[in-house]
Amino acid sequence: PLGGNRHGNGRTLLNLLGAMFLCGLWHGAAWHFGAWGVWHGLGLAVHRVFDRTPLAARCRRLPGWGLFSWGLTLSFVGFGWLLFFYPIPRVGALLGHWIPH
């Protein structure tokens, strides 16, 4: 119903964000669930854009690219769990302890 990928790349990216936002709200009616969905929607959108570039094809041939991309994905999803489990102000407080002032 949203048009899938039949109406251009911009519409597809917007649909990814919207669908993941709704998936987040499906888990509960709180802003942090919506933020979790948007976070994952952004990840899918960035991956979709990057995967269609010549740089992505060159990166896939680099030794260790699989391990690097695995670690990047694990870190991305790990941060997403913070958004899932904690209210947004709490996530900010947690990040404040890790980021040097």
Side-chain angles (χ1 to χ4, degrees), residues 20-77:
M20 290 306 296
F21 175 72
L22 292 175
C23 287
L25 290 182
W26 179 82
H27 284 83
W31 285 113
H32 63 103
F33 292 120
W36 174 83
V38 169
W39 177 252
H40 284 280
L42 284 171
L44 289 171
V46 167
H47 177 265
R48 182 177 175 87
V49 169
F50 175 74
D51 202 40
R52 287 161 170 70
T53 65
L55 177 61
R58 285 188 302 212
C59 288
R60 282 193 282 281
R61 290 191 299 268
L62 291 173
W65 176 254
L67 185 61
F68 172 76
S69 60
W70 176 81
L72 185 63
T73 302
L74 185 65
S75 299
F76 184 88
V77 172

